[in-house]
Amino acid sequence: MEQIKSPTPPTLALRLLNLSIPLHIREHLIGDLVEEFSQVKIPAEGTTKSNLWFWKQTILSSYEYLNKQRGGIMSFVLSIMIFLGLVFIAMLLGGEVSMYLDVPFLFVICVTSLAFGISATSRKTGKFAIKLLISEQDCSDTIAVKQAAHFLRVTGNTALLMGGLIAMIVLTATAQHLFQETMAKALQPGISLFCLAFLYASILKILCYVGEQRVANALITAEIKS
Amino acid sequence: MNDKKPYLGEFENMLLLTLLQLGGKSHGSLVRQQLKDLVSRDVSIGALYATLERMENKGFIRSSLGEKTAERGGRAKRYFEVTAKGKETAKQTKKQLETLWQGVQLWSK
């Protein structure tokens, strides 16, 4: 006999709700929505209309809380956006933006830093640290929060060290070529890559530093509450 | 007006009356549906919870945790009920509105 599968709300919408609704009401609010979805909407309106209704509720509710209640996270995201915007403007003023783009360098610094961050803590801690930055999480487990701060510290410091290391390699290679080619030809690409390595590393370090401070603040709040 | 009384916003007043109509303890989904059925006000569950939280902070309502059920995906219910202060404020608001409506004529004879 074929078993009838009970209808479930869109997974992506549920994830969005989990990220945007404050922790103390998350369970009750989502529970109410899921109950109304399966008990009222699905029998009356079918799957497509019910899914649309669930998405509408998700977007309106997420907006309500992100806009009115979550000033801390919104200002954090806004400050990161302003910071990246200013870096972009500085690049524009310095010449063409494309000359600041070196995908292999960016990839090496970002991936290595994240890998070091995860290996120093754990994948779970890395995920928790990212979640802490973009949504309200349960901070009662102060050890987990401290580990999240440690992940951000390791990632940021690794980025800076990687930048320094690559810059030194490039500088050595440039020095080696100085005697083989003309001065200008040898110096131009080397200095450019040297600066890029530090630029990428510094950006990642700043982002991690701000994140670390935010997590440290969550820890202080949790300790005061307990 | 003499002393400072707790102020009830338009939507807060609607929610308070809906909770009183439902009687006893009611959860968010039921309040949302009742509002829609009675006054055709279709609010998002987020807006409803934000207002209910504000009203709880003002002392007009109180909430308690309910059971976890399968149809809610194992999530617990949160029940809301009107406090004595809430009932008193609702009465006060009704009185104020009745006073303001006196002498108001919207329909031509």
Side-chain angles (χ1 to χ4, degrees):
Chain A
M1 207 170 135
E2 202 175 308
Q3 203 177 1
I4 299 165
K5 207 181 166 191
S6 63
T8 49
T11 316
L12 200 61
L14 278 174
R15 280 191 185 174
L16 184 61
L17 284 169
N18 272 316
L19 281 175
S20 58
I21 304 299
L23 190 69
H24 63 286
I25 56 154
R26 193 177 296 160
E27 183 184 352
H28 321 296
L29 188 150
I30 298 175
D32 278 356
L33 264 186
V34 171
E35 187 184 346
E36 196 172 338
F37 174 84
S38 61
Q39 304 294 302
V40 183
K41 291 289 166 186
I42 288 280
E45 294 171 3
T47 312
T48 312
K49 273 192 172 180
S50 302
N51 280 341
L52 283 174
W53 172 84
F54 198 91
W55 267 110
K56 186 185 161 193
Q57 288 292 325
T58 300
I59 291 164
L60 290 174
S61 302
S62 299
Y63 177 77
E64 175 81 29
Y65 279 97
L66 284 174
N67 193 34
K68 291 181 185 168
Q69 321 252 325
R70 310 275 307 277
I73 284 165
M74 283 308 276
S75 61
F76 172 72
V77 172
L78 198 69
S79 62
I80 294 291
M81 283 168 76
I82 289 171
F83 165 70
L84 292 175
L86 286 174
V87 170
F88 184 73
I89 289 168
M91 285 175 173
L92 269 181
L93 291 173
E96 277 180 53
V97 179
S98 59
M99 76 179 187
Y100 294 98
L101 286 176
D102 193 309
V103 178
F105 258 36
L106 189 64
F107 185 76
V108 165
I109 289 175
C110 288
V111 171
T112 317
S113 311
L114 285 171
F116 269 95
I118 288 169
S119 64
T121 53
S122 69
R123 207 173 155 183
K124 197 179 155 194
T125 304
K127 268 187 180 175
F128 181 61
I130 307 288
K131 276 185 180 175
L132 254 179
L133 301 180
I134 56 170
S135 69
E136 194 181 345
Q137 296 294 319
D138 182 9
C139 293
S140 56
D141 183 1
T142 51
I143 294 170
V145 182
K146 278 179 184 169
Q147 284 172 331
H150 186 58
F151 165 81
L152 290 169
R153 197 178 309 121
V154 172
T155 307
N157 287 342
T158 309
L160 207 55
L161 289 170
M162 279 299 296
L165 180 76
I166 293 173
M168 289 313 290
I169 291 170
V170 172
L171 198 65
T172 312
T174 308
Q176 292 287 325
H177 285 90
L178 266 181
F179 299 103
Q180 295 166 15
E181 297 179 42
T182 61
M183 195 77 146
K185 247 187 167 180
L187 278 179
Q188 192 271 328
I191 291 174
S192 161
L193 290 178
F194 178 86
C195 296
L196 275 184
F198 263 127
L199 178 73
Y200 294 154
S202 304
I203 290 173
L204 201 59
K205 173 62 187 171
I206 292 168
L207 290 175
C208 285
Y209 175 75
V210 177
E212 192 189 328
Q213 295 312 308
R214 190 171 158 71
V215 172
N217 183 56
L219 185 65
I220 294 165
T221 314
E223 279 173 352
I224 291 168
K225 276 182 186 170
S226 64
Chain B
M1 288 285 148
N2 38 28
D3 56 334
K4 230 181 173 183
K5 295 242 163 65
Y7 172 74
L8 208 58
E10 183 253 352
F11 187 50
E12 288 177 348
N13 195 18
M14 276 193 171
L15 281 184
L16 207 60
L17 293 173
T18 310
L19 280 169
L20 285 168
Q21 279 218 349
L22 286 165
K25 296 174 177 180
S26 319
H27 66 287
S29 182
L30 192 63
V31 177
R32 214 189 75 79
Q33 282 173 53
Q34 184 82 350
L35 260 178
K36 196 182 171 190
D37 293 344
L38 291 178
V39 288
S40 307
R41 185 128 179 197
D42 193 5
V43 292
S44 77
I45 195 84
L48 183 89
Y49 265 86
T51 313
L52 286 171
E53 264 194 291
R54 197 168 58 239
M55 288 167 72
E56 193 172 8
N57 290 336
K58 288 182 183 175
F60 298 147
I61 58 170
R62 75 170 77 91
S63 68
S64 54
L65 287 183
E67 71 282 8
K68 292 182 179 188
T69 57
E71 57 268 21
R72 297 170 63 83
R75 297 175 183 91
K77 273 183 185 174
R78 189 170 175 185
Y79 289 109
F80 298 94
E81 62 179 322
V82 182
T83 60
K85 185 184 175 185
K87 284 175 189 167
E88 188 52 44
T89 312
K91 267 193 242 170
Q92 199 74 34
T93 309
K94 184 174 185 277
K95 215 169 148 188
Q96 287 170 349
L97 286 173
E98 279 172 354
T99 308
L100 288 169
W101 271 105
Q102 274 172 19
V104 174
Q105 208 154 16
L106 293 175
W107 303 273
S108 53
K109 285 176 188 172

